Amino acid sequence: MSVIEKVRPLAAAAAERCGAGLWDLEFAREGPSWVLRVTIDSPGGVDMDMCEAVSRALDPMLDKADPIPQSYTLEVSSAGAERVLRGEEDYRRFAGSYAEVRLYAPKDGSREHFGHLAAFDAETLTLDDTAGKNPQTFERAGIAQVRLRLKF
């Protein structure tokens, strides 16, 4: 069982206890050190106090379970306003939001396309402008990443 598989239920429980949800979990080597990165989200937003609360709740759980054999640094942070969307549930939750679609190969001369998440199914994802015109549909297999973007 991987470190992520061992830590995920602990991180989810700590986040839930503090009024948040687990957005993402990463265990990565950065130079000579290891980092356990816990990313949380909450409908009301995430602030530093919530990140600290999750860290304080998770730390003793990790000490007790001891799922990570080497030393590491624990980081807890917000998913952020410009978060990466990871699939159906995220697309549903953020339907209508302004987003960037990055493609593996260029379409219409570009790998980056912007618009509002208008529609999606198992094979495609569609961006649109605010007027509901100019839809751009992309094959999901060709999408490298979908990320929310702030529009000023």
Side-chain angles (χ1 to χ4, degrees):
M1 184 180 281
S2 74
V3 167
I4 296 295
E5 291 169 327
K6 293 175 187 174
V7 171
R8 185 172 301 282
L10 301 173
E16 186 176 320
R17 185 180 307 160
C18 298
L22 179 63
W23 181 265
D24 195 17
L25 191 59
E26 178 185 14
F27 185 63
R29 185 176 202 104
E30 293 187 356
S33 306
W34 285 89
V35 177
L36 175 62
R37 203 167 275 116
V38 178
T39 308
I40 59 173
D41 190 31
S42 173
V46 173
D47 60 15
M48 290 297 293
D49 291 337
M50 185 175 282
C51 291
E52 182 179 352
V54 172
S55 180
R56 288 180 188 266
L58 180 56
D59 195 45
M61 296 167 75
L62 290 169
D63 286 345
K64 184 178 179 184
D66 200 22
I68 304 172
Q70 63 266 53
S71 64
Y72 62 93
T73 301
L74 173 62
E75 291 181 3
V76 178
S77 63
S78 164
E82 292 192 331
R83 67 192 64 196
V84 172
L85 303 184
R86 292 199 158 65
E88 306 293 324
E89 186 177 318
D90 295 346
Y91 298 151
R92 235 184 318 282
R93 178 176 174 194
F94 293 102
S97 297
Y98 191 70
E100 172 189 11
V101 170
R102 288 188 184 179
L103 304 173
Y104 292 115
K107 178 178 180 181
D108 300 329
S110 180
R111 290 184 186 199
E112 298 173 350
H113 298 267
F114 298 85
H116 295 270
L117 291 172
F120 65 91
D121 58 31
E123 287 84 32
T124 63
L125 182 138
T126 301
L127 295 179
D128 211 335
D129 63 17
T130 54
K133 298 177 182 175
N134 305 317
Q136 303 174 73
T137 300
F138 307 94
E139 297 295 322
R140 297 229 347 230
I143 296 174
Q145 184 182 77
V146 179
R147 178 184 291 276
L148 293 181
R149 288 296 185 193
L150 296 176
K151 186 175 181 183
F152 297 97

Coordinates of all heavy atoms in Angstrom, one line a residue, residues 65-117:
A65 N -0.4 6.5 13.7 CA -0.5 5.5 12.7 C 0.9 5.2 12.1 O 1.1 4.1 11.6 CB -1.5 5.9 11.6
D66 N 1.8 6.2 12.1 CA 3.1 6.0 11.5 C 3.2 5.4 10.1 O 3.9 4.4 9.9 CB 4.0 5.2 12.5 CG 5.5 5.5 12.3 OD1 5.8 6.5 11.7 OD2 6.3 4.6 12.7
P67 N 2.4 6.0 9.2 CA 2.3 5.4 7.8 C 3.5 5.8 6.9 O 3.6 5.3 5.8 CB 1.0 6.0 7.3 CG 1.0 7.4 7.9 CD 1.5 7.2 9.3
I68 N 4.4 6.7 7.4 CA 5.5 7.2 6.5 C 6.8 6.8 7.2 O 7.1 7.4 8.3 CB 5.4 8.7 6.3 CG1 4.0 9.0 5.7 CG2 6.5 9.2 5.4 CD1 3.7 10.5 5.6
P69 N 7.6 5.9 6.6 CA 8.8 5.5 7.3 C 9.9 6.5 7.4 O 10.7 6.5 8.4 CB 9.3 4.3 6.4 CG 8.6 4.5 5.1 CD 7.4 5.3 5.4
Q70 N 10.0 7.4 6.4 CA 11.1 8.4 6.5 C 10.6 9.8 7.1 O 9.4 10.0 7.2 CB 11.7 8.7 5.1 CG 10.7 9.2 4.1 CD 10.0 8.2 3.2 OE1 9.5 7.2 3.8 NE2 10.1 8.3 1.9
S71 N 11.5 10.6 7.4 CA 11.1 12.0 7.9 C 10.6 12.8 6.7 O 10.9 12.6 5.6 CB 12.3 12.7 8.5 OG 13.3 12.9 7.6
Y72 N 9.7 13.7 7.0 CA 9.0 14.5 6.0 C 8.5 15.8 6.7 O 8.4 15.9 7.9 CB 7.8 13.7 5.4 CG 6.7 13.4 6.4 CD1 5.6 14.2 6.7 CD2 6.9 12.2 7.2 CE1 4.7 13.9 7.6 CE2 5.9 11.9 8.2 CZ 4.8 12.8 8.4 OH 3.9 12.5 9.3
T73 N 8.1 16.7 5.8 CA 7.5 17.9 6.3 C 6.0 17.9 5.9 O 5.7 17.5 4.7 CB 8.1 19.2 5.6 OG1 9.5 19.2 5.9 CG2 7.5 20.5 6.0
L74 N 5.1 18.3 6.8 CA 3.7 18.3 6.5 C 3.3 19.7 6.1 O 3.6 20.7 6.8 CB 2.9 17.9 7.8 CG 1.4 18.0 7.7 CD1 0.8 17.2 6.6 CD2 0.8 17.7 9.1
E75 N 2.6 19.8 5.0 CA 2.1 21.1 4.5 C 0.6 21.0 4.3 O 0.2 20.1 3.6 CB 2.8 21.5 3.2 CG 4.2 21.9 3.2 CD 4.8 22.3 1.9 OE1 4.0 22.3 0.9 OE2 6.0 22.5 1.8
V76 N -0.2 21.9 4.8 CA -1.6 22.0 4.6 C -1.9 23.3 3.9 O -1.5 24.3 4.4 CB -2.4 21.8 5.9 CG1 -3.9 21.9 5.6 CG2 -2.0 20.4 6.5
S77 N -2.6 23.3 2.8 CA -2.9 24.5 2.1 C -4.3 24.4 1.4 O -4.9 23.3 1.3 CB -1.9 24.8 1.0 OG -1.9 23.8 0.1
S78 N -4.8 25.5 0.9 CA -6.0 25.6 0.2 C -5.9 25.2 -1.2 O -4.8 25.3 -1.8 CB -6.5 27.1 0.3 OG -7.5 27.3 -0.7
A79 N -7.0 24.7 -1.8 CA -7.0 24.3 -3.2 C -6.8 25.6 -4.1 O -6.3 25.5 -5.2 CB -8.2 23.6 -3.6
G80 N -7.2 26.7 -3.6 CA -7.0 28.0 -4.3 C -8.1 28.3 -5.3 O -8.9 27.4 -5.7
A81 N -8.2 29.5 -5.6 CA -9.2 30.0 -6.6 C -9.0 29.5 -8.0 O -9.9 29.3 -8.7 CB -9.3 31.5 -6.6
E82 N -7.7 29.2 -8.3 CA -7.4 28.8 -9.7 C -6.9 27.3 -9.6 O -5.9 26.9 -10.1 CB -6.3 29.7 -10.3 CG -6.9 31.0 -10.6 CD -6.0 31.9 -11.5 OE1 -4.7 31.7 -11.4 OE2 -6.5 32.7 -12.2
R83 N -7.8 26.5 -9.0 CA -7.4 25.1 -8.8 C -7.6 24.3 -10.1 O -8.4 24.6 -11.0 CB -8.3 24.5 -7.7 CG -9.8 24.5 -8.2 CD -10.8 24.2 -7.1 NE -10.7 25.2 -6.1 CZ -11.2 25.2 -4.9 NH1 -11.8 24.1 -4.5 NH2 -11.1 26.2 -4.1
V84 N -6.9 23.1 -10.1 CA -7.0 22.2 -11.2 C -8.3 21.4 -10.9 O -8.5 20.9 -9.8 CB -5.8 21.3 -11.3 CG1 -6.0 20.1 -12.3 CG2 -4.6 22.1 -11.6
L85 N -9.1 21.2 -11.9 CA -10.3 20.3 -11.8 C -9.9 18.9 -12.3 O -9.2 18.7 -13.2 CB -11.5 20.9 -12.7 CG -11.9 22.3 -12.4 CD1 -13.1 22.7 -13.2 CD2 -12.1 22.5 -10.9
R86 N -10.4 17.9 -11.5 CA -10.0 16.6 -11.8 C -11.0 15.6 -12.3 O -10.7 14.4 -12.4 CB -9.4 16.0 -10.4 CG -8.1 16.8 -10.1 CD -7.3 16.0 -9.1 NE -5.9 16.3 -9.0 CZ -5.4 17.5 -8.7 NH1 -6.2 18.4 -8.3 NH2 -4.1 17.6 -8.6
G87 N -12.2 16.1 -12.7 CA -13.1 15.1 -13.2 C -14.6 15.5 -13.0 O -14.9 16.6 -12.7
E88 N -15.4 14.5 -13.2 CA -16.9 14.7 -13.2 C -17.4 15.6 -12.1 O -18.2 16.5 -12.3 CB -17.6 13.4 -13.2 CG -17.2 12.4 -14.3 CD -17.6 12.8 -15.7 OE1 -18.7 13.4 -15.8 OE2 -16.8 12.6 -16.6
E89 N -17.1 15.2 -10.8 CA -17.6 15.9 -9.7 C -17.2 17.4 -9.7 O -18.0 18.3 -9.4 CB -17.1 15.2 -8.4 CG -17.7 15.8 -7.1 CD -17.3 15.1 -5.9 OE1 -17.2 13.8 -5.9 OE2 -17.0 15.7 -4.9
D90 N -15.9 17.6 -10.0 CA -15.4 19.0 -10.1 C -16.1 19.8 -11.2 O -16.5 20.9 -11.1 CB -13.9 19.0 -10.3 CG -13.1 18.5 -9.1 OD1 -13.7 18.3 -8.0 OD2 -11.9 18.2 -9.3
Y91 N -16.3 19.1 -12.4 CA -16.9 19.8 -13.5 C -18.4 20.2 -13.1 O -18.8 21.3 -13.5 CB -16.9 18.9 -14.8 CG -15.5 18.6 -15.3 CD1 -15.3 17.4 -16.0 CD2 -14.5 19.4 -15.1 CE1 -14.1 17.1 -16.5 CE2 -13.2 19.1 -15.6 CZ -13.0 17.9 -16.3 OH -11.8 17.6 -16.8
R92 N -19.0 19.3 -12.5 CA -20.4 19.5 -12.0 C -20.4 20.7 -11.0 O -21.2 21.6 -11.2 CB -21.0 18.3 -11.4 CG -22.3 17.8 -12.0 CD -22.9 16.6 -11.2 NE -22.0 15.6 -10.8 CZ -21.5 14.6 -11.5 NH1 -21.8 14.6 -12.8 NH2 -20.7 13.7 -11.0
R93 N -19.6 20.6 -10.1 CA -19.5 21.7 -9.0 C -19.2 23.1 -9.6 O -19.8 24.1 -9.1 CB -18.5 21.3 -8.0 CG -18.4 22.3 -6.9 CD -17.4 21.8 -5.8 NE -17.2 22.9 -4.8 CZ -16.2 22.9 -4.0 NH1 -15.4 21.9 -3.9 NH2 -16.0 23.9 -3.1
F94 N -18.3 23.1 -10.6 CA -17.9 24.4 -11.1 C -18.5 24.7 -12.5 O -17.9 25.6 -13.2 CB -16.4 24.5 -11.1 CG -15.8 24.5 -9.7 CD1 -15.3 23.3 -9.2 CD2 -15.8 25.6 -8.9 CE1 -14.8 23.3 -7.9 CE2 -15.4 25.6 -7.6 CZ -14.8 24.5 -7.1
A95 N -19.6 24.1 -12.9 CA -20.2 24.4 -14.1 C -20.5 25.9 -14.2 O -21.0 26.5 -13.2 CB -21.5 23.6 -14.3
G96 N -20.3 26.5 -15.3 CA -20.5 27.9 -15.5 C -19.3 28.7 -15.2 O -19.3 29.9 -15.5
S97 N -18.3 28.2 -14.5 CA -17.2 29.0 -14.0 C -16.2 29.2 -15.2 O -16.1 28.4 -16.1 CB -16.4 28.2 -12.9 OG -17.2 28.1 -11.8
Y98 N -15.4 30.2 -15.1 CA -14.4 30.5 -16.1 C -13.2 29.6 -15.9 O -12.8 29.4 -14.8 CB -14.0 32.0 -16.0 CG -13.2 32.5 -17.1 CD1 -13.7 32.6 -18.4 CD2 -11.8 32.7 -17.0 CE1 -13.0 33.1 -19.5 CE2 -11.0 33.2 -18.0 CZ -11.6 33.4 -19.3 OH -10.9 33.8 -20.3
A99 N -12.8 29.0 -17.0 CA -11.7 28.0 -16.9 C -10.8 28.0 -18.1 O -11.1 28.6 -19.1 CB -12.3 26.6 -16.8
E100 N -9.6 27.4 -17.9 CA -8.7 27.2 -19.0 C -8.5 25.7 -19.2 O -8.4 24.9 -18.3 CB -7.3 27.8 -18.5 CG -6.2 27.4 -19.5 CD -4.8 27.8 -18.9 OE1 -4.7 28.1 -17.7 OE2 -3.8 27.7 -19.7
V101 N -8.6 25.4 -20.5 CA -8.4 24.0 -20.9 C -7.0 24.0 -21.6 O -6.8 24.7 -22.6 CB -9.5 23.5 -21.8 CG1 -9.1 22.1 -22.5 CG2 -10.8 23.4 -21.1
R102 N -6.1 23.1 -21.1 CA -4.8 22.9 -21.8 C -4.9 21.6 -22.5 O -5.2 20.5 -21.9 CB -3.7 22.9 -20.8 CG -3.4 24.3 -20.2 CD -2.2 24.3 -19.4 NE -2.0 25.6 -18.8 CZ -1.1 26.0 -18.0 NH1 -0.1 25.1 -17.7 NH2 -1.0 27.2 -17.5
L103 N -4.4 21.6 -23.7 CA -4.5 20.4 -24.5 C -3.1 19.8 -24.7 O -2.1 20.5 -24.6 CB -5.1 20.7 -25.9 CG -6.5 21.4 -25.9 CD1 -6.8 21.8 -27.3 CD2 -7.5 20.4 -25.3
Y104 N -3.1 18.5 -25.0 CA -1.8 17.8 -25.3 C -1.3 18.3 -26.7 O -0.1 18.5 -26.9 CB -1.9 16.3 -25.4 CG -2.2 15.7 -24.0 CD1 -3.4 15.1 -23.7 CD2 -1.3 15.8 -23.0 CE1 -3.7 14.5 -22.5 CE2 -1.5 15.2 -21.7 CZ -2.7 14.6 -21.5 OH -2.9 14.0 -20.3
A105 N -2.2 18.5 -27.6 CA -1.8 18.9 -29.0 C -2.6 20.2 -29.3 O -3.8 20.3 -28.9 CB -2.1 17.8 -30.0
P106 N -2.1 21.1 -30.1 CA -2.8 22.3 -30.4 C -4.1 22.0 -31.2 O -4.3 21.1 -32.0 CB -1.9 23.1 -31.3 CG -0.5 22.5 -31.1 CD -0.8 21.1 -30.7
K107 N -5.1 22.9 -30.9 CA -6.4 22.9 -31.6 C -6.6 24.4 -32.0 O -6.5 25.2 -31.2 CB -7.5 22.4 -30.8 CG -8.9 22.4 -31.5 CD -10.0 21.9 -30.6 CE -11.3 22.0 -31.4 NZ -12.4 21.5 -30.7
D108 N -6.9 24.6 -33.3 CA -7.1 26.0 -33.8 C -5.9 26.8 -33.5 O -6.0 28.0 -33.1 CB -8.4 26.6 -33.2 CG -9.6 25.9 -33.6 OD1 -9.6 25.2 -34.7 OD2 -10.6 25.9 -32.8
G109 N -4.7 26.2 -33.5 CA -3.4 26.9 -33.4 C -3.0 27.2 -31.9 O -2.0 27.8 -31.7
S110 N -3.7 26.6 -30.9 CA -3.3 26.8 -29.6 C -3.6 25.6 -28.7 O -4.5 24.9 -28.9 CB -4.1 28.0 -29.0 OG -3.7 28.3 -27.7
R111 N -2.7 25.5 -27.7 CA -3.0 24.4 -26.7 C -3.8 24.9 -25.5 O -4.2 24.1 -24.7 CB -1.6 23.9 -26.2 CG -0.9 23.1 -27.2 CD 0.4 22.5 -26.6 NE 1.1 21.9 -27.7 CZ 2.0 21.0 -27.5 NH1 2.4 20.6 -26.3 NH2 2.7 20.5 -28.5
E112 N -3.9 26.2 -25.4 CA -4.7 26.8 -24.2 C -5.9 27.5 -24.8 O -5.9 28.3 -25.7 CB -3.8 27.9 -23.5 CG -2.5 27.2 -22.9 CD -1.6 28.3 -22.4 OE1 -1.8 29.5 -22.6 OE2 -0.6 27.9 -21.7
H113 N -7.0 27.2 -24.1 CA -8.3 27.7 -24.5 C -9.1 28.2 -23.2 O -9.0 27.5 -22.2 CB -9.2 26.7 -25.3 CG -8.5 26.3 -26.6 ND1 -8.7 26.9 -27.8 CD2 -7.6 25.3 -26.8 CE1 -8.0 26.3 -28.7 NE2 -7.3 25.4 -28.1
F114 N -9.8 29.3 -23.3 CA -10.5 29.8 -22.2 C -11.9 30.0 -22.4 O -12.3 30.3 -23.6 CB -9.9 31.2 -21.8 CG -8.4 31.1 -21.4 CD1 -7.4 31.2 -22.4 CD2 -8.0 31.0 -20.1 CE1 -6.1 31.1 -22.1 CE2 -6.7 30.9 -19.8 CZ -5.7 31.0 -20.7
G115 N -12.7 29.9 -21.4 CA -14.2 30.1 -21.5 C -14.9 29.5 -20.3 O -14.2 29.1 -19.3
H116 N -16.2 29.6 -20.3 CA -17.0 29.1 -19.2 C -17.3 27.6 -19.4 O -17.6 27.2 -20.5 CB -18.3 29.9 -19.0 CG -18.0 31.3 -18.7 ND1 -17.9 31.7 -17.4 CD2 -17.7 32.4 -19.5 CE1 -17.6 33.0 -17.4 NE2 -17.5 33.4 -18.6
L117 N -17.2 26.8 -18.3 CA -17.5 25.4 -18.4 C -19.0 25.3 -18.8 O -19.9 25.5 -17.9 CB -17.2 24.7 -17.1 CG -15.8 24.5 -16.8 CD1 -15.6 23.9 -15.4 CD2 -15.1 23.6 -17.8

